[in-house]
Amino acid sequence: MIKTLTLMQPRTTSRENLNRPDGTVVNEPGQSAGSRNASPRILGAARAIAAREGAGKVTIEAVAKEAGLSKGGVLYNFPTKKALLSSLLDQMLAAHRELLANVPVRHPARTLTGHLEIVIHSKDVDDDLSMAILAAAASDPRLLDPLRSDLTCDLERILTDTQDAPAAMIAVLAIQGLRFQRLLNLPDGGAEIRERVIERLRTMIDEL
């Protein structure tokens, strides 16, 4: 973690040196407290735009207008659209962790069950933002590092909590397939088949 920068740096210090690795700003003179503490407001504005108009309409300018801030106020918190998407991903992962935590502790294959329910109840706005994040990750794969870290930990729990690791891995891959089928709007065989597949997956998971 980068140590907090001292206040004695010369005014000619570049903006880049004031940024964390994810692009968010540590400190910069001449910005109001409102701008410095506006991250939740900005993220809420970005989600509102994505829900209303699609993630493709999430730009720094549009988010500034939606949040009632100047463009500079948004850039102070998120210097690039990639930094904004990174924080939106963190926000979605936090929501996913909360959903996983709500699965009863005594439930068999608790983590697998949580992942299946997350896919089933995924919101359209999260799907749209996920596609925007994947598109940005094509040029910077590190954007998905928090997702990889979460999934690595979850997979370790899934494989540790079962006596049939290959069957558990098949369920994991099936759930990921459902996720990408929804994200990419691929053919799913129709609502009836999809429901039967989900019920079959639930049965498989309960029997692990």
Side-chain angles (χ1 to χ4, degrees):
M1 182 65 69
I2 298 176
K3 294 182 179 179
T4 304
L5 296 171
T6 64
L7 297 178
M8 299 303 295
Q9 290 176 313
R11 294 180 61 85
T12 56
T13 299
S14 69
R15 181 183 179 89
E16 181 180 359
N17 291 335
L18 298 173
N19 294 349
R20 297 190 181 98
D22 65 358
T24 55
V25 176
V26 176
N27 190 20
E28 183 177 354
Q31 288 289 340
S32 68
S35 294
R36 291 197 299 270
N37 300 320
S39 291
R41 181 174 166 189
I42 293 167
L43 294 175
R47 286 185 63 83
I49 294 169
R52 187 175 64 244
E53 304 176 41
K57 298 295 184 180
V58 176
T59 64
I60 297 296
E61 293 80 2
V63 170
K65 182 178 180 181
E66 183 80 17
L69 295 169
S70 67
K71 182 178 178 180
V74 175
L75 290 173
Y76 179 82
N77 291 269
F78 305 103
T80 64
K81 182 177 178 179
K82 191 177 294 183
L84 177 61
L85 291 174
S86 178
S87 290
L88 286 167
L89 174 60
D90 288 343
Q91 193 178 65
M92 286 190 286
L93 289 175
H96 288 181
R97 286 191 291 270
E98 184 176 348
L99 287 172
L100 287 175
N102 288 334
V103 178
V105 175
R106 295 184 180 181
H107 195 289
R110 180 179 181 227
T111 304
L112 254 180
T113 298
H115 274 270
L116 178 59
E117 296 305 317
I118 286 170
V119 170
I120 293 170
H121 299 294
S122 178
K123 298 177 181 178
D124 289 342
V125 62
D126 286 333
D127 292 343
D128 207 12
L129 286 171
S130 294
M131 288 301 297
I133 291 166
L134 286 174
S139 62
D140 185 1
R142 295 173 301 173
L143 188 64
L144 296 181
D145 282 351
L147 174 61
R148 294 187 184 97
S149 178
D150 272 23
L151 290 180
T152 296
C153 293
D154 286 351
L155 185 58
E156 289 176 356
R157 282 194 294 270
I158 289 168
L159 297 180
T160 299
D161 292 344
T162 182
Q163 299 297 317
D164 192 346
M169 196 66 214
I170 289 172
V172 169
L173 295 173
I175 292 169
Q176 291 177 350
L178 284 174
R179 174 68 169 154
F180 278 95
Q181 178 276 321
R182 179 182 172 107
L183 284 179
L184 301 176
N185 196 26
L186 299 174
D188 62 0
E192 181 181 351
I193 290 294
R194 179 181 171 83
E195 288 303 315
R196 289 168 61 185
V197 167
I198 290 171
E199 287 306 312
R200 180 71 64 85
L201 270 173
R202 284 189 174 125
T203 299
M204 287 176 58
I205 292 170
D206 287 344
E207 292 175 349
L208 288 173

